[in-house]
Amino acid sequence: DYCNKADSVRRADHIGLVGLMLLLLGSDAFFLCVCSMMVVQNGPSVLILFGFEYAILAVAVLTTLLRYALHMVDMYMTGTWQAKGMYLMYLDFLSEMVRFIAYLIFFTIIFTYYGMPLHIIRELWVSYQNLRRRLVAYQRFRKLVVNMNDRFPDATEEELVTCEHTCIICRDHMESGKKLMCGHIFHFQCLRLWLQQQQTCPTCRAEIPVDMPQVRPQVIPGNVQQNNIDNNA
């Protein structure tokens, strides 16, 4: 968050952040290996709990490190990296999936050796809900961007004047834009990037329906008759 908001970040700050994350990741991996080896040698013990905590922390640190790497790539690229949002979506989904699998394995081990672990059921359920929410968001995104140019109508000149020719997402001038059902207008690419993260209107936060009818180009009856005459001729 600091790198996203700061106008200029010193190289020393970047080195410090990367060094700290690598140190934390290495420490978590080391203690996880130690706990695993001791459990294998001496049998199940409280070290299972410690090893599980180190595994969860390692996943969190690794996810943060990868997000930081994506941010750095975007920062040094010329122009807008349109695929960044998609990579972040995949990364968050994989992180939640690994987290859920870790909770499931831990729950199974504790249940096998010590009985029903009631204190883990809530964490397992929350992890499942987060994973499900990520999956639903990805499915909604895929449905919304299919034929996106036809799904959302083009804004008229009068509508662009109403919003002062400004895209609220990028704060840049807007010569043309796409209009949502709530009436708000955005750049086509800006809207696509936004939908990778959220499937709501950036202005009013209204949910964008997936099953909204696609906009069809209007056909003037006179043109249809003329086309039929030309075809018959």
Side-chain angles (χ1 to χ4, degrees):
D1 292 338
Y2 169 72
C3 292
N4 286 327
K5 297 177 182 178
D7 295 333
S8 60
V9 181
R10 297 178 304 173
R11 179 175 298 180
D13 294 333
H14 287 294
I15 296 175
L17 288 173
V18 174
L20 177 61
M21 287 187 287
L22 291 177
L23 177 62
L24 292 175
L25 182 61
S27 301
D28 293 332
F30 172 76
F31 287 115
L32 175 60
C33 292
V34 171
C35 293
S36 300
M37 290 187 297
M38 295 187 67
V39 168
V40 171
Q41 294 176 359
N42 304 324
S45 64
V46 71
L47 291 177
I48 296 178
L49 176 61
F50 292 152
F52 169 74
E53 293 295 336
Y54 287 128
I56 294 298
L57 291 175
V59 172
V61 174
L62 181 60
T63 302
T64 304
L65 184 61
L66 292 176
R67 292 180 67 92
Y68 178 81
L70 291 175
H71 169 73
M72 294 300 297
V73 172
D74 183 30
M75 188 172 63
Y76 285 102
M77 287 184 64
T78 57
T80 303
W81 187 21
Q82 299 180 2
K84 177 184 177 182
M86 182 64 67
Y87 285 125
L88 289 175
M89 181 182 294
Y90 288 143
L91 177 61
D92 292 337
F93 176 76
L94 290 176
S95 175
E96 290 294 342
M97 183 173 63
V98 172
R99 184 182 179 89
F100 173 72
I101 293 175
Y103 271 108
L104 189 61
I105 293 175
F106 181 61
F107 177 86
T108 303
I109 293 175
I110 297 299
F111 178 78
T112 302
Y113 291 100
Y114 301 103
M116 179 63 69
L118 298 178
H119 62 287
I120 306 176
I121 294 179
R122 179 184 178 277
E123 299 296 334
L124 181 62
W125 175 254
V126 171
S127 179
Y128 166 75
Q129 290 294 330
N130 291 335
L131 178 61
R132 180 177 177 274
R133 178 171 53 84
R134 297 283 185 185
L135 181 59
V136 170
Y138 175 74
Q139 292 175 341
R140 285 179 54 84
F141 165 75
R142 296 300 300 175
K143 292 180 180 179
L144 286 174
V145 297
V146 172
N147 297 328
M148 185 176 170
N149 194 42
D150 297 330
R151 179 180 294 272
F152 302 108
D154 295 325
T156 62
E157 181 62 27
E158 292 77 10
E159 292 170 336
L160 291 173
V161 172
T162 303
C163 66
E164 299 180 352
H165 286 270
T166 302
C167 175
I168 196 64
I169 299 177
C170 65
R171 298 290 183 177
D172 200 358
H173 184 74
M174 185 166 49
E175 291 292 341
S176 62
K178 289 294 183 178
K179 185 177 69 172
L180 301 181
M181 292 188 65
C182 56
H184 296 114
I185 305 170
F186 313 95
H187 282 132
F188 177 85
Q189 292 298 337
C190 292
L191 181 59
R192 182 182 177 88
L193 292 175
W194 175 268
L195 292 177
Q196 292 176 358
Q197 298 297 322
Q198 300 185 39
Q199 293 77 48
T200 58
C201 174
T203 302
C204 64
R205 302 299 179 179
E207 184 175 347
I208 303 176
V210 177
D211 55 351
M212 61 183 297
Q214 298 183 4
V215 178
R216 302 291 183 181
Q218 296 182 355
V219 180
I220 302 176
N223 293 341
V224 175
Q225 295 178 0
Q226 183 64 35
N227 291 335
N228 292 334
I229 295 175
D230 295 339
N231 293 332
N232 293 332

